[in-house]
Amino acid sequence: MESAGKPIRCRAAVARKAGEALVIEEIEVWPPKAWEVRIKILCTSLCHSDVTIWKQSAGPGVVFPRILGHEAAGIVESVGENVDEVKEGDIVIPVFQSNCEECRDCKSPKSNSCTKFPPQLNSGMPRDGTPRFMDLNGQPIYHFFNVSSFSEYTVVDIAQVVKFNLDFPIDKACLLSCGVTTGLGAAMKTAQVEEGSTVAIFGLGAVGLAVAEGARLQGASKIIGVDLNPAKFEIGKKFGITDFINPSTCGEKSVSQVILEMTDGGADYCFECVGLASVMQDAFNSSRLSCGKTVLVGVEMHGTPLSINSYEILMGRSLMGCLYGGFKPKSDLSMLANKYLEKKLHLDEFITHQVKLEDINEAFELLHQGKSLRYEGLDKDGICDVRCLGSPKRGRKAACGEDRRGEWWKWIGAGDVSEEDKNLE
């Protein structure tokens, strides 16, 4: 491409200050350095983690201005030195979970961690710490989760780039970049839910619904959803939820007591997808005493410690964490893609709303209210040579080379961690 090796001017949604509306402005995206890839973003999703960091004015990794967004799919515009894994024109998914394929953990089947590039809120690129974004006044704009997909172009380290099947719908590929994959993997990879087992899921946001979908694919016989929003039951049925508990209607019984009665002694697998220590405790207490497994998927942001009775661990209950579902991006995402193409995996059902690029702040508000989950954006000129979103009508894709002017953004899902969810305790 003529732009290779040169700065690119494009639009981005820039978070200038904590909690303030994102600003759509023109920026410069610098060329990729060694081991880096510059990507033209075709679709990007809004995760609750974006909203959480956007609202924080102080703490580790908090810096402004920055470009948020870490769930996306795009096309390679150019590559830096030492990059031979992808080339110009390849369809790729940038992911926050590094996978260098060289370190001890990347080579181990026991872990999906990467010791070379551990997860952290870098403000620049992982290898040299410097940003690749600049505003038109020459001031740096910082990165988020090493992806920063709320820009028409971004630069990502090759350790966080996954080459994808050209035949896979680009708007669905975006879903596999973080939240949906995390939930699927929690059930399929981390817990390894067995056929006929019982499952309880605390919090039916995007991740919780994806856990249900993963448990469904694994053949679970009973999948209990726990959420304060009664509308989540009907939504959850699409993903395999068989039973629903609203904690506010349990009367004098605790949620754990209700689940113990429903499952004849406790669920085989419990998943906490809210990120509250009190809910983690409820999930643990809802598992079967002799062999129940509880998986923590939500991130506890309040620093509240979790207190577990060691006797219950001794009796057989177990507790474990889960990052990115335990999946290794470069080797496992293709499996999920194949399941979708084989019509086994539900992804379309996550799609609900659309808003325009200039209305991205409305998308933040919808997520905060628990009314939606993800949105996807289109590139600036509206033309590309892969399948992509074509119009505000749900599910329509543009044919190759079709003009997609209009800057439509798709919102995916049915609710994430809303204020109501945070009060699940």
Side-chain angles (χ1 to χ4, degrees):
M1 290 186 179
E2 294 182 1
S3 56
K6 305 174 184 177
I8 289 178
R9 283 197 176 189
C10 68
R11 296 195 306 164
V14 181
R16 285 284 171 182
K17 293 183 179 179
E20 293 189 3
L22 274 60
V23 181
I24 307 300
E25 58 183 83
E26 191 173 57
I27 66 166
E28 284 194 345
V29 182
W30 289 89
K33 294 184 179 181
W35 293 287
E36 296 175 0
V37 182
R38 187 159 62 183
I39 302 169
K40 182 177 184 179
I41 297 295
L42 300 178
C43 304
T44 184
S45 304
L46 175 63
C47 174
H48 196 273
S49 297
D50 298 308
V51 178
T52 299
I53 297 300
W54 164 70
K55 291 190 297 184
Q56 290 184 347
S57 58
V62 175
V63 61
F64 293 95
R66 79 188 319 165
I67 296 174
L68 299 170
H70 63 283
E71 297 186 354
I75 185 169
V76 175
E77 177 271 337
S78 60
V79 301
E81 295 179 1
N82 305 321
V83 174
D84 52 17
E85 189 175 325
V86 297
K87 63 182 185 304
E88 176 188 324
D90 284 344
I91 297 299
V92 294
I93 297 178
V95 294
F96 78 90
Q97 181 72 10
S98 299
N99 191 185
C100 73
E101 300 184 297
E102 299 173 350
C103 69
R104 177 179 177 180
D105 282 330
C106 280
K107 292 180 178 180
S108 170
K110 299 179 181 180
S111 169
N112 72 330
S113 295
C114 178
T115 36
K116 189 173 184 178
F117 302 110
Q120 52 188 322
L121 292 173
N122 292 327
S123 59
M125 297 299 292
R127 294 179 194 260
D128 66 9
T130 62
R132 299 293 177 267
F133 303 115
M134 197 80 69
D135 67 19
L136 297 190
N137 294 318
Q139 298 301 308
I141 301 175
Y142 300 104
H143 294 241
F144 176 66
F145 268 0
N146 299 327
V147 175
S148 292
S149 58
F150 293 172
S151 172
E152 290 167 341
Y153 286 85
T154 190
V155 179
V156 181
D157 193 278
I158 187 59
Q160 294 170 285
V161 175
V162 180
K163 185 176 179 179
F164 225 63
N165 188 340
L166 185 62
D167 295 329
F168 197 89
I170 194 71
D171 53 323
K172 307 306 184 303
C174 182
L175 294 175
L176 299 179
S177 191
C178 178
V180 172
T181 296
T182 296
L184 291 169
M188 301 170 67
K189 183 93 172 189
T190 302
Q192 298 183 17
V193 171
E194 301 107 342
E195 185 175 355
S197 57
T198 56
V199 171
I201 304 166
F202 290 73
L204 297 181
V207 175
L209 292 173
V211 171
E213 174 67 4
R216 182 191 68 81
L217 288 170
Q218 294 291 99
S221 61
K222 182 185 286 290
I223 304 176
I224 305 168
V226 183
D227 201 289
L228 284 168
N229 185 349
K232 297 291 183 71
F233 188 27
E234 287 303 315
I235 296 167
K237 287 179 180 178
K238 302 176 183 178
F239 303 95
I241 296 292
T242 59
D243 300 86
F244 182 78
I245 298 174
N246 184 336
S248 66
T249 64
C250 291
E252 296 182 357
K253 293 182 178 181
S254 67
V255 173
S256 300
Q257 287 177 308
V258 174
I259 292 177
L260 291 174
E261 292 174 2
M262 292 175 63
T263 56
D264 189 25
D268 298 312
Y269 299 96
C270 292
F271 299 86
E272 199 280 349
C273 304
V274 176
L276 284 175
S278 58
V279 182
M280 296 174 184
Q281 188 76 55
D282 285 341
F284 182 77
N285 292 339
S286 300
S287 65
R288 188 168 297 279
L289 181 61
S290 60
C291 58
K293 181 181 291 186
T294 300
V295 181
L296 306 185
V297 187
V299 180
E300 226 295 339
M301 298 295 291
H302 304 89
T304 306
L306 182 61
S307 178
I308 297 295
N309 188 327
S310 60
Y311 173 77
E312 295 180 345
I313 299 292
L314 182 67
M315 290 297 293
R317 277 178 171 161
S318 62
L319 182 70
M320 61 194 312
C322 171
L323 184 64
Y324 200 66
F327 282 137
K328 295 180 184 290
K330 297 194 178 187
S331 58
D332 291 330
L333 286 188
S334 58
M335 176 272 293
L336 296 179
N338 288 335
K339 284 187 178 294
Y340 174 79
L341 294 175
E342 294 167 358
K343 303 188 183 304
K344 295 178 181 178
L345 172 62
H346 295 159
L347 290 180
D348 300 41
E349 289 78 3
F350 282 92
I351 301 174
T352 59
H353 298 79
Q354 294 174 332
V355 297
K356 292 182 179 180
L357 170 59
E358 54 266 31
D359 297 326
I360 185 175
N361 293 295
E362 177 185 336
F364 270 69
E365 184 61 26
L366 285 170
L367 180 58
H368 182 69
Q369 295 173 359
K371 294 181 179 179
S372 296
L373 286 180
R374 302 290 190 270
Y375 74 89
E376 296 179 341
L378 302 177
D379 57 288
K380 180 178 179 181
D381 58 18
I383 301 175
C384 73
D385 54 3
V386 296
R387 291 186 292 175
C388 37
L389 307 181
S391 79
K393 294 181 180 179
R394 179 183 177 191
R396 182 175 180 266
K397 304 182 187 70
C400 293
E402 180 178 338
D403 189 332
R404 297 177 290 103
R405 289 178 174 84
E407 308 290 353
W408 285 98
W409 290 67
K410 178 169 291 184
W411 185 265
I412 296 176
D416 206 345
V417 184
S418 64
E419 291 304 310
E420 285 186 328
D421 291 326
K422 291 179 180 178
N423 294 322
L424 192 59
E425 57 191 295

